[in-house]
Amino acid sequence: MTVLLSCLAYLAGAVFLAGSVFRAAKYARTPVPLRWELYPIPRGAAGQIRYTLAEILLLRGVWQHNRKLWFRTWPFHSGIYLCAVSLVSLAAGFARFSEWAALAGLTLLLAGASALLVARIFDPALKPYTSPADFFNLGWFAAAAGIPLASFALELAAPATVWRAVLTFHPVPPLAAAGVVLASLLVAYIPFTHMVHFVAKYFAYHKVRWDDRPDAAVAAQLLYTPHWSAPHVGADDAKTWAEVAGASPSTEKKS
Amino acid sequence: MSPDRYSALTLPQPKTPGEERALVDAFRSGLEKLFRREDNWTFLRPLLITVEHCVRCQTCAEACHIFTGSGRQEIYRPTYRSEILRRLYFKYVRHKRWQGAVELDWKTVSTLAELAYRCNLCRRCAQACPMGADNGLVAHELRKLFSQEMDIAPKELHAAGSLVQLRTGSTTGMNPAGARDCFDFIDEEMTEKTGIPIKTPWDVEGADVLLIHNAGEVLSWPENPGAFAVMLTAAGVSWTLSSELTAYDAVNYGLWYDDVQFARVALRQIEAARKLKVKRIVIGECGHAHKALTVIADRLLPSDLNLPRESCMTLMRDLVLSGRLPVDPTRNNFPVTLHDPCNVARLMGITEAQRDVLRAVCPDIREMSPNRTENYCCGGGSGFALMSGKNFLDWRLEVAGAKKMEQVLAAFEGSMDPGILKYICAPCSNCKGQFRDLLARRGLWKSNRIFYGGLAELVVNAMRDVKPGFLEWEWR
C-alpha cells in the first residue's frame, strides 16, 4: 500500500508535467493567427516580466477589475503557490520552512476554494455560468486541502512530513494517505481541464495580445483549403485560402 | 426571433420543421469549421484559448459599456453569448459532458445570430480579462460563422457593403468617375473657403503618400477630406489618391464579420498602392480602416505587398509640430473633447499623436474619463453606426451609446450653456456617424451647442495661411 501511494504521487507529477506540455504543444501547434493585439503592450522583456509577475503572484487584473472576487481567488491561488513552494523547499532540505509553507498554503487553499464554491452557489452573476464540472473541481480542491489539515489535527501528521514520507516510500496515517490520494489525482487531472490556464495564459498574452510582429509563418496557412458554404466565399473544396481571397465574391451556391 | 425587442439582421424564418433542421444543421457545420485549422486559421488560437479557458468569473462584465448601459441586462453580459458558444463547442465539437446544458435548435441559433450584433467588438472586456480570454472575439467569430457558412449578415455590411465595394469600388456605390467628380467639387469648395488653390492629385506614380479616405466622408462630411487636401497642399507633401477600385475607399467591413471579404478588400487596396509605386499608404480618419489595413492585414501580405502603412494622426502630428503648417490655436477658442476610437487607441496603441496635434491647435481641451486605451466605445463600433435595421437605431443610441454620452456630458460639465460652442473631436468616420445620431437624438446641438467633427478640420481651422472661419458650425 505504501509503495502504491508513493508510485501514485510520482505518477501524478509525471502526468501533470506531460499533460501541461501536451496542452502547451496543442496551442503552439495552432496556426499563427492574424494580428489581434491589445494595448497597452508592456515594452521590452523587463516590462513584460514585471507585468507577468504581478499578474501571477498578485492577480493584478482581478484586483483592478473585480475586487470582490480577488478576496476569494487570491487566497486560492496563493495557497496553491505555497503548497508548491513547500514541496520545493522540502526537496531542498528546508524542512521547517516547508512545514509552515504547507500549513499556510493548505489553509489559504481551503479558505479560497470554499469561498469560491460559496460564490458559485449563491452569487446570481456567477451561478448561471457555473457548470457541474466547476462545482466538482472546487469541491475537490477544498477536500484536497481540508483532509491534510484534518489529518494534522487528528493524526498529528504534519503535511510536509507526510509528503516526505510518501516521496521516500514510507508509510503515512490513513487520513493523510487519503489526502495524498486526492491531491495526486487532482494534480494529474488539472492539465485536462480549463484549470490549466497557466499554460493558456502564456499563449493568450505572448502569442496574441502582445504579439505585434509581422510574421511570415502564415504563408503555409494561405495554402489551406477552406470549406465554408456561403456562396460569396466561393470555396469549392479545392481552392486554397489565397485563391479564395484573390477571387471576386462568387454568386454560385456551393454544391 | 430576437432575444430582445431589437433586430440587426433579417433572419430567415423557417416555415417547416425541415427548413428549421436545415438551418440548424448549417449552423452546426459552421460551428465545426470555426474550430478547424483549415477553415479558421486566422483566429483559431485566440478562439480556442477563450472558449477553453474562460473561467466565467465575470470580471469583464463591468468593463462593457453595453452591459452597464443596458442597466446590466443579462443578455448583454459579455460572457452570455460566449457561454452558449462554449457549451455548444464542448457538446458538439468536443463531445464532452459536464460543461453545462445547451440545446442546439433554431431558437439558440437565432439568438446567437442577433447577439453577435449586440457587441461593438471594442474588446474592452478582453482588456479587463486576467485570463486573456476575449469575448469580443467570440462575437466576431459568431458573425463569421453566420456569414461564411450561412450567408447571414446585416445587409448594410454585406449585400450593400463589402459586396458593393468589391463590385463598384466603394461601399457608397461611388465608381471611380463619381469619386473624382466629388473631389472636384470638394476642391472648388476648399479653394473658395481657404484661399489656397486646391487640386486633388489622382494616380500620381511614385508619390510619397497614397491617402485613402473612408468614402463615406466624401458624401457626409466632405470638409474632412477637403481639410486633408488643404493640409497636404499647404505643407507641400507629395501625395495622391488612387482611382483603382476599392483604393479610394479605405473601409473594410469584412473586418467585422467575414475574413474572406476582409482579405479581398485589403489585398486590392494594397495592390493599388503597389501599382502606383507610392512610398507609403496613409489612412484617413477612419478607425476600422486603420486597424484593418495596418494591423489585421499585416500577416496576410506577401513581402512584395507589405508596403509601409501609416496613420493620418502621425502624419498630421509631423506636419503641425514641424512647423510646416503654421497654426494659431486661438482660432479654436472653444472647449474640445477628444474621443479615442477603439480601433485606433485600444487596438493599435495610437493615443498620443492626436493629442500632440490637439494641444498645438486647441487651447481648451477637456479629456474624457477614462481615455486613451481605456476609452469607451461610442456605441457605433463594428459597423453599428451604419446599421439602423428595423429598430436597431434605437438600441445603438439608447443602450450602446449611453456610456459615451455620459462621458461627453461630464467632459463639458460647466460649459453646457448654449452660448458656448463645444466640439467633440472624433477622428473616425463611424464614430462621427454615431455622434451625429446621438447628439440629434438628445437634441444636444440645438439645446447646448455640442457639435462634432474630425481632427483635420480643427487643424485647418487653426492654420494661419487659411482664411478664418473654416469650421462653419452647421449641423449635418
Side-chain angles (χ1 to χ4, degrees), chain A residues 23 26-31 194 200 203-204 208, chain B residues 34-37 40 43-54 85-86 89-90 93-94 132-134 137-138 141:
Chain A
R23 190 60 82 109
K26 174 184 162 180
Y27 290 125
R29 281 202 307 266
T30 53
H194 73 77
F203 289 94
V208 180
Chain B
L34 211 52
F35 292 95
R36 277 213 299 253
R37 58 195 295 135
N40 196 24
F43 289 101
L44 180 61
R45 180 179 287 169
L47 179 63
L48 266 185
I49 290 170
T50 297
V51 295
E52 291 188 349
H53 293 282
C54 169
L85 179 71
R86 195 188 68 81
Y89 164 72
F90 278 110
V93 180
R94 297 283 305 277
D134 190 338
L137 175 76
V138 168
E141 295 300 285

Side-chain angles (χ1 to χ4, degrees), chain A residues 133-224:
Chain A
D134 296 321
F135 290 123
F136 178 76
N137 296 344
L138 284 170
W140 196 343
F141 266 105
I147 289 176
L149 289 174
S151 162
F152 180 58
L154 302 173
E155 297 170 330
L156 301 179
T161 308
V162 167
W163 276 94
R164 186 169 52 197
V166 168
L167 295 175
T168 54
F169 293 85
H170 287 89
V172 294
L175 201 52
V180 170
V181 170
L182 271 183
S184 300
L185 293 177
L186 179 59
V187 163
Y189 164 73
I190 283 172
F192 307 99
T193 69
H194 73 77
M195 295 184 288
V196 70
H197 52 243
F198 54 90
V199 172
K201 227 166 152 170
Y202 168 80
F203 289 94
Y205 278 80
H206 294 271
K207 298 296 177 189
V208 180
R209 266 172 88 149
W210 295 346
D211 188 3
D212 58 356
R213 297 163 303 141
D215 201 319
V218 306
Q221 294 161 197
L222 291 170
L223 301 178
Y224 286 163

Side-chain angles (χ1 to χ4, degrees), chain A residues 23 26-40 55 61-62 65-66 69 120 125-126 128-134 136 192-194 196-197 200-201 203-205 207-209 211-215 218 221-222 224-234 241 244-250 254, chain B residues 30 33-34 36-39 41-46 48-49 52-53 55-59 74 77 79-80 83 86-87 94 96 98-100 123 126-132 134 137 144-145 147-149 151 158 163 166 258-261 263-264 267-268 291 294-296 298-300 345-349 373:
Chain A
R23 190 60 82 109
K26 174 184 162 180
Y27 290 125
R29 281 202 307 266
T30 53
V32 175
L34 297 183
R35 282 177 59 183
W36 195 245
E37 62 256 31
L38 207 48
Y39 290 83
E55 194 52 50
V62 185
H65 300 288
N66 194 349
L69 181 70
R120 290 268 168 204
L126 295 175
Y129 299 88
T130 304
S131 65
D134 296 321
F136 178 76
F192 307 99
T193 69
H194 73 77
V196 70
H197 52 243
K201 227 166 152 170
F203 289 94
Y205 278 80
K207 298 296 177 189
V208 180
R209 266 172 88 149
D211 188 3
D212 58 356
R213 297 163 303 141
D215 201 319
V218 306
Q221 294 161 197
L222 291 170
Y224 286 163
T225 305
H227 306 85
W228 296 98
S229 300
H232 71 272
V233 174
W241 211 94
V244 165
S248 292
S250 166
K254 191 181 170 190
Chain B
K33 288 170 192 170
L34 211 52
R36 277 213 299 253
R37 58 195 295 135
E38 291 80 9
D39 293 304
W41 65 266
T42 45
F43 289 101
L44 180 61
R45 180 179 287 169
L48 266 185
I49 290 170
E52 291 188 349
H53 293 282
V55 294
R56 290 145 288 139
C57 63
Q58 311 306 339
T59 299
E74 199 59 29
R77 188 183 280 280
T79 50
Y80 185 86
E83 179 62 10
R86 195 188 68 81
R87 291 183 185 193
R94 297 283 305 277
K96 280 192 172 182
W98 279 46
Q99 295 294 333
R123 298 176 67 211
Q127 199 177 37
C129 177
M131 211 61 62
D134 190 338
L137 175 76
K144 178 197 303 182
L145 185 166
S147 177
Q148 293 184 186
E149 185 67 13
D151 211 16
H158 187 60
L163 285 177
L166 288 164
D258 190 304
D259 290 347
V260 175
Q261 292 293 87
R264 284 171 173 156
L267 289 171
R268 283 158 180 74
K291 191 180 74 169
T294 52
V295 174
I296 309 293
D298 203 27
R299 290 177 182 163
L300 282 175
R346 180 163 39 257
L347 308 181
M348 285 182 73
T373 56

Side-chain angles (χ1 to χ4, degrees), chain B residues 182-298:
Chain B
C182 287
F183 273 93
D184 285 347
F185 171 75
I186 291 171
D187 288 348
E188 280 175 31
E189 280 271 306
M190 291 300 116
T191 302
E192 194 181 316
K193 266 178 93 168
T194 64
I196 297 174
I198 302 297
K199 181 69 191 157
T200 293
W202 286 88
D203 301 321
V204 179
E205 253 195 47
D208 283 345
V209 167
L210 167 64
L211 181 62
I212 313 185
H213 289 294
N214 177 325
E217 298 278 337
V218 177
L219 299 181
S220 299
W221 303 284
E223 66 278 10
N224 181 275
F228 273 94
V230 172
M231 282 189 294
L232 297 177
T233 303
V237 174
S238 154
W239 70 290
T240 187
L241 299 188
S242 166
S243 62
E244 283 284 325
L245 290 189
T246 76
Y248 54 89
D249 190 353
V251 307
N252 192 338
Y253 296 172
L255 177 75
W256 301 316
Y257 76 99
D258 190 304
D259 290 347
V260 175
Q261 292 293 87
F262 164 78
R264 284 171 173 156
V265 170
L267 289 171
R268 283 158 180 74
Q269 287 168 335
I270 296 273
E271 178 59 31
R274 192 184 64 86
K275 266 171 75 176
L276 273 181
K277 301 186 182 71
V278 294
K279 300 205 171 46
R280 59 185 161 145
I281 299 170
V282 171
I283 296 132
E285 292 187 15
C286 177
H288 88 273
H290 265 71
K291 191 180 74 169
L293 203 56
T294 52
V295 174
I296 309 293
D298 203 27

